[in-house]
Amino acid sequence: MELIREISEELKSSYIDYAMSVIVGRALPDVRDGLKPVQRRILYAMYEMGLTHNRPYRKCARIVGDVLGKYHPHGDSAVYDALVRMAQDFAMRYPLIDGQGNFGSIDGDEAAAMRYTEARLAKIAEEMLADIDKETVDFIPNFDNTLKEPSVLPSKIPNLLINGSSGIAVGMATNIPPHNLKEVCDAIVAFIKNPEISIEELANFVKGPDFPTGGEIIGLAGILDAYRTGRGRIVVRGKVEVEDKAIVIKEMPYLVNKAKLVEKIAELIKEGRLEEARTVRDESDREGIRVVVELKGNAQTALNKLYMFTNLQTTFGIINLALVDGEPKILNLKDLISEYVDHRREIVRKRTEFELKRAEERLHIVKGLKKAVEDIDNVISLIKSSKSPKEAKDRLIEKYEFSEKQADAILQMRMQKLTSMEIEALINEYQDLIKKIEEYRQILSSITKIDEIIIREVEEIREKYGDERRTKIVEKHEEISVEELIAKEDNVLVITQNGFIKRMDIESFRLQERGGVGLIGIQLKDDVPTTIIKCNSHDKLLFFTNFGKAYWINAYEVPKQDRTAKGINIRRFLNVSEDERIVSVVPTKKFGGHVVILTQDGHIKRTKLSDFVNAKRSGIIAGNKIAFARRCEGNDVFISTKKGYAVRFRLKSIPELGRSARGVKALKLREKDEIANLTIVRKEGYILTLTENGYGKRTDESLYRATNRGTMGIINLKVTGKTGDVVASEYVRGDEELITLSKDGYALKTAVSKIPVKGRSASGVLISKRGIACATIL
C-alpha cells in the first residue's frame, strides 16, 4: 500500500522528531541528577561492573565497550569523550570518575587512547548511585529491549548545580556553570526550611559560580541576572600577581587553553601591541599554573591589555536550561533547587516504602520463627514425625496457622538458632522491626520528616565532600577603556617643519652639562624641528596651525618611537592642508579652563577650551594666522620677540572671546621683528631666554615690569651675531630640566639651575654647541 503525504509535512514531522531526540536523548541534562543520558549510562555501567572507589581500576576500553553494548548505541568516541570529561579536574568542579593515566590537560592536550587509560568511580559519584537498588528510580528498556537502565539516578548530591553542564541541542543550548558544594547545600537546607525564601536570599548562600580552575568573577550583576531569570553574562578573569617587574598568572579562566593563551601573549609582544612586556614563559608544573610575563613597562597597563586582547578575561554566558519532566525549561536558582528537593523527596519516599515493605516481610518471618521457638519441642516433634518436607510444611500451617513463607523459614532454620543467644537475638530483632516499621510509617505520613531526612543527608554530604570556594568574586566591574591600555607616563612630543610627529620617553635623554653637543633626538632629512613639548600619554593634544585652525587627538595615538626615528606624518592623524603647519600644541587632561591665543600680527584673546571639544581631526576655526597658544595657568602673559624684546601684562586684561574673533592688540612689533614665544608667568621665578645659536640665560621675573597691552616692550636679551635671534622665552622656577633641539636634530637635556642668572640686557652663556631650534621645560 502506498502512502501519499506532502513533503513539507514529512520534513516538518521528521525534523521535529530529530530535534526532540537530540534535546531529550543527547544534549540536555536532566534537572534531577544533572546528567545527560551518556553520562548516566557510563556511571551506571561502572556501578554494575563494581568499579567503586575502593576497587582496582579497569581499562577504559572495557568500560566503553560495556556502555556501547548495553546502553548507548552510538560512537565509541562520544562515550569516551564524556568519560574523559567526567575525570578532568579542570573541567569538572567535582569529578565523578577517578582516572588513571593521561586524561588530557589544561593546555588542550587530548587524553590517551582508551586502551591505555583506566578508571573507576569517584567516591562522590557513588553518592549519586546510592539506593538505586531500592526501587527509588524507574528503569526503562535499553535500546534493544534486552536490559533495563535507570531513567534518572537517585543523586544524593545536587550535581547539576555543583558540576554544571553545557550542550548544544537543536535550536537551544545550555550552559550551566559549576558551583561550590558547601554553598549549594546551605541554600538547599535554607529552601527546605523556608519554601517562600526569595532568590536574593538564596543568593546570600550561593555567592556565584565556582570554577574548578579558580580565577575571578568581576561584578555581581550577571550572577544575579542568571539567578533571577536563568540567563546572565559574567566576566571571568585569571588570577594574577605582580612580582619583581613580572605579571604571574596563577589561575586560568574556566575552559581557557593555557598553551594558546601563552602563544597569544607571545604574539602580542612580537607585534609590539604589548610593548610593556619583554617576554613570556610557562613555568607551570605539578604544583600548579605559573605563567610569567616579564615587564619593561607599567604593570597595570600590561594587565589591562592582557584582559582586553587575550583570554585572560573571558565572558561566560549562563543559560540554565535543563529537562523538567522531559521538557526543556530555563530555570532560575530557586527553580533548580526546588526541582532537586522534589526529586530527593520522591527518592526518600520510595526508599522508605521499599524499606517498610522489606521490614514488614521480615517481621512476618520473624513472627513465625518466634512463635515456633516458643513451642519448639512440639514443633520439632511434628517435623520429625512427618514423612516429607511437604507434609511437615502442611502440618505446621494447619496446626500453628503459619503462612507458607513462615513455614518454609521454620523448616530452613538451623539448629544453632535454638541456642539461648540466638533466641534472644530473634526477640531483639522482632522488637527492632516493630520500631522500624513504626518509624517508616511515620516518615511516609509526614513531609516534615522526609524533609528532615533530606536535610540530614545534605549536611552529611556537605561535611564529607565540601571544600572552600576557588573562584573569587569581585563586586565591582567597569569596562576597560582604551586609556587603561595606555601607561600613564610623561613623554616628549616633537614636530618638524614638514609635519612629522613622534612621541619619546623622557628617559631616552640623559642629563648633560650645558655647552655640550647632545644626543641625536630625531632623524632629519631636509627638515627642521619646530616644536618640542612635554605631555602625558593620557593628555589630549590641542594643535593650532598657522592657518588659524585647531585640531585635537589623544596623545597615545601618536606612536612612541626611539630617538633615531623620524616620526609619522601628521596628516595621518589630522586633516591639515599641504601648506598648513603646526605652530603650537596645548596638552590638556580635559577641556576645562581657557587658552590664550596669539596671532602673528600681535593680537591676543582668551577662549574657553570647551569651545574646541568638537575640533577633532577635521579641525575648526580658532582665529587668524596663529603664532602661539598656551593654557591660562598663571598671573601674567609674557611675549618675547626674535630681536630680543619682551612685553608683560596682566592675564585678566585679555578679554574672553569666541573662536572666530580676532582678539585685541597685545604688542607692537618693531620693523623686521617677529614673535618668538608666549609664556604664562607666575610669581617668584625666572624668565629663561634661548637663542638660535645655542645661548641662554635666566633673568629674575621681577625685572620685567607689567605694562598695558599694545606697547613695544622692553629689552629681554641683547641679540648679537654670536647669539642669533631669540627662539624662546619660558617662565621657570629653577628646579626644572630643559631639553633643546638643534636644527639638525640633536637634543641636549640639562638642569635649568646650571644656567646662570643675568640681567635683561645680557646675552647669556653657551648652552648647546649645535644651536637651538626649539625647546621645552620638563
Side-chain angles (χ1 to χ4, degrees), residues 237-255:
R237 288 178 178 174
K239 180 184 176 183
V240 299
E241 293 179 5
V242 179
E243 302 176 0
D244 300 327
K245 292 293 287 180
I247 292 172
V248 181
I249 302 169
K250 295 194 170 181
E251 292 176 1
M252 302 293 293
Y254 187 47
L255 300 179

Side-chain angles (χ1 to χ4, degrees), residues 516-571:
V517 174
L519 304 167
I520 189 72
I522 185 169
Q523 192 71 45
L524 297 172
K525 186 178 180 181
D526 301 325
D527 204 357
V528 176
T530 56
T531 304
I532 179 171
I533 62 159
K534 176 188 174 184
C535 67
N536 189 278
S537 55
H538 281 229
D539 281 344
K540 291 169 174 47
L541 302 178
L542 186 57
F543 298 92
F544 292 90
T545 74
N546 60 329
F547 282 15
K549 292 186 73 175
Y551 308 79
W552 75 264
I553 60 172
N554 295 297
Y556 59 76
E557 294 180 65
V558 179
K560 194 162 71 169
Q561 299 180 330
D562 58 27
R563 290 187 295 105
T564 59
K566 75 170 186 176
I568 304 292
N569 197 306
I570 203 164
R571 289 184 180 86

Side-chain angles (χ1 to χ4, degrees), residues 351-414:
R351 182 183 67 194
T352 306
E353 288 175 348
F354 175 83
E355 288 174 340
L356 173 61
K357 179 183 174 184
R358 192 167 60 175
E360 287 176 337
E361 288 174 352
R362 179 60 184 167
L363 180 63
H364 180 66
I365 300 297
V366 170
K367 277 183 177 178
L369 294 174
K370 181 173 175 289
K371 190 174 182 180
V373 166
E374 287 171 351
D375 191 19
I376 193 62
D377 293 336
N378 291 328
V379 168
I380 292 171
S381 296
L382 186 150
I383 294 170
K384 284 173 69 178
S385 63
S386 298
K387 293 179 180 180
S388 66
K390 185 178 184 309
E391 184 183 337
K393 179 180 174 181
D394 292 341
R395 291 176 66 190
L396 285 170
I397 292 172
E398 182 183 348
K399 182 174 182 180
Y400 293 100
E401 297 181 346
F402 290 137
S403 68
E404 287 194 11
K405 286 184 179 180
Q406 288 175 324
D408 285 337
I410 292 165
L411 290 171
Q412 291 169 12
M413 184 173 61
R414 293 181 179 182

Side-chain angles (χ1 to χ4, degrees), residues 542 550 552 595 597 607-615 620 622 659:
L542 186 57
W552 75 264
V595 63
I597 300 174
T607 303
K608 289 180 180 179
L609 273 168
S610 58
D611 288 353
F612 300 99
V613 170
N614 296 322
I620 54 175
R659 289 186 294 105

Side-chain angles (χ1 to χ4, degrees), residues 557-701:
E557 294 180 65
V558 179
K560 194 162 71 169
Q561 299 180 330
D562 58 27
R563 290 187 295 105
T564 59
K566 75 170 186 176
I568 304 292
N569 197 306
I570 203 164
R571 289 184 180 86
R572 183 179 294 186
F573 311 106
L574 308 177
N575 189 23
V576 296
S577 61
E578 194 70 32
D579 299 328
E580 195 173 3
R581 62 183 180 85
I582 306 298
V583 294
S584 205
V585 184
V586 177
T588 182
K589 298 291 181 192
K590 56 184 179 179
F591 288 96
H594 293 77
V595 63
V596 177
I597 300 174
L598 178 65
T599 64
Q600 294 173 17
D601 60 0
H603 285 80
I604 197 167
K605 65 179 178 180
R606 274 189 308 139
T607 303
K608 289 180 180 179
L609 273 168
S610 58
D611 288 353
F612 300 99
V613 170
N614 296 322
K616 297 293 180 75
R617 299 167 190 270
S618 298
I620 54 175
I621 295 297
N624 180 39
K625 293 186 178 180
I626 296 171
F628 288 95
R630 283 288 177 93
R631 279 189 70 102
C632 294
E633 294 176 335
N635 306 304
D636 298 343
V637 171
F638 187 93
I639 302 171
S640 57
T641 72
K642 290 186 177 181
K643 298 303 179 184
Y645 293 92
V647 62
R648 176 180 181 177
F649 51 86
R650 302 301 180 199
L651 187 61
K652 63 184 180 183
S653 70
I654 304 172
E656 182 181 313
L657 299 170
R659 289 186 294 105
S660 58
R662 183 184 182 191
V664 296
K665 199 66 177 175
L667 78 166
K668 291 179 182 177
L669 287 167
R670 291 172 173 80
E671 190 177 350
K672 295 183 179 180
D673 201 0
E674 296 176 33
I675 293 169
N677 199 21
L678 164 69
T679 188
I680 307 295
V681 180
R682 300 173 188 82
K683 292 181 179 179
E684 298 179 1
Y686 304 93
I687 299 297
L688 172 65
T689 302
L690 304 169
T691 71
E692 61 182 352
N693 290 343
Y695 285 81
K697 65 169 183 175
R698 282 188 295 153
T699 304
D700 196 296
E701 56 85 18

Side-chain angles (χ1 to χ4, degrees), residues 124-386:
I124 195 169
E126 293 174 25
E127 303 290 354
M128 296 194 69
L129 292 149
D131 303 324
I132 199 169
D133 55 351
K134 294 183 179 179
E135 299 176 2
T136 50
V137 295
D138 295 332
F139 277 74
I140 56 177
N142 70 338
F143 64 90
D144 62 359
N145 219 6
T146 58
L147 295 168
K148 296 281 189 180
E149 63 174 303
S151 60
V152 68
L153 298 187
S155 190
K156 265 190 180 180
I157 61 170
N159 182 59
L160 186 60
L161 272 167
I162 66 171
N163 271 325
S165 185
S166 64
I168 300 172
V170 179
M172 60 186 70
T174 184
N175 203 27
I176 304 171
H179 291 80
N180 183 270
L181 179 61
K182 281 186 176 180
E183 294 178 1
V184 173
C185 288
D186 289 341
I188 289 169
V189 171
F191 172 80
I192 294 172
K193 290 180 177 178
N194 176 20
E196 302 302 318
I197 191 170
S198 67
I199 292 171
E200 286 73 17
E201 288 171 320
L202 285 172
N204 290 330
F205 297 99
V206 184
K207 308 295 183 185
D210 189 24
F211 299 111
T213 52
E216 296 178 345
I217 296 173
I218 311 299
L220 295 174
I223 297 172
L224 293 175
D225 284 346
Y227 288 171
R228 290 190 190 109
T229 67
R231 289 179 180 270
R233 292 170 65 84
I234 58 174
V235 176
V236 185
R237 288 178 178 174
K239 180 184 176 183
V240 299
E241 293 179 5
V242 179
E243 302 176 0
D244 300 327
K245 292 293 287 180
I247 292 172
V248 181
I249 302 169
K250 295 194 170 181
E251 292 176 1
M252 302 293 293
Y254 187 47
L255 300 179
V256 167
N257 185 311
K258 175 166 65 67
K260 287 187 177 178
L261 175 66
V262 174
E263 186 181 324
K264 180 64 176 177
I265 295 172
E267 185 182 309
L268 290 174
I269 295 171
K270 184 178 179 181
E271 292 174 354
R273 295 169 66 193
L274 188 60
E275 59 188 20
E276 295 80 9
R278 183 176 287 107
T279 186
V280 59
R281 62 181 181 273
D282 189 354
E283 298 180 355
S284 305
D285 54 23
R286 291 184 180 180
E287 299 298 317
I289 291 171
R290 182 179 172 85
V291 176
V292 180
V293 182
E294 285 191 8
L295 299 174
K296 59 180 179 181
N298 182 273
Q300 188 58 52
T301 304
L303 196 54
N304 287 339
K305 286 185 178 180
L306 289 176
Y307 290 147
M308 178 72 79
F309 300 133
T310 74
N311 279 340
L312 189 59
Q313 174 175 301
T314 62
T315 300
F316 188 96
I318 300 174
I319 309 172
N320 293 333
L321 182 70
L323 295 173
V324 181
D325 296 328
E327 294 181 10
K329 286 187 179 179
I330 291 180
L331 307 160
N332 60 37
L333 178 62
K334 189 172 180 179
D335 293 336
L336 289 167
I337 292 173
S338 174
E339 292 292 342
Y340 173 74
V341 170
D342 287 346
H343 174 58
R344 286 304 299 167
R345 283 171 177 158
E346 183 71 7
I347 296 298
V348 171
R349 184 185 64 78
K350 285 185 174 181
R351 182 183 67 194
T352 306
E353 288 175 348
F354 175 83
E355 288 174 340
L356 173 61
K357 179 183 174 184
R358 192 167 60 175
E360 287 176 337
E361 288 174 352
R362 179 60 184 167
L363 180 63
H364 180 66
I365 300 297
V366 170
K367 277 183 177 178
L369 294 174
K370 181 173 175 289
K371 190 174 182 180
V373 166
E374 287 171 351
D375 191 19
I376 193 62
D377 293 336
N378 291 328
V379 168
I380 292 171
S381 296
L382 186 150
I383 294 170
K384 284 173 69 178
S385 63
S386 298

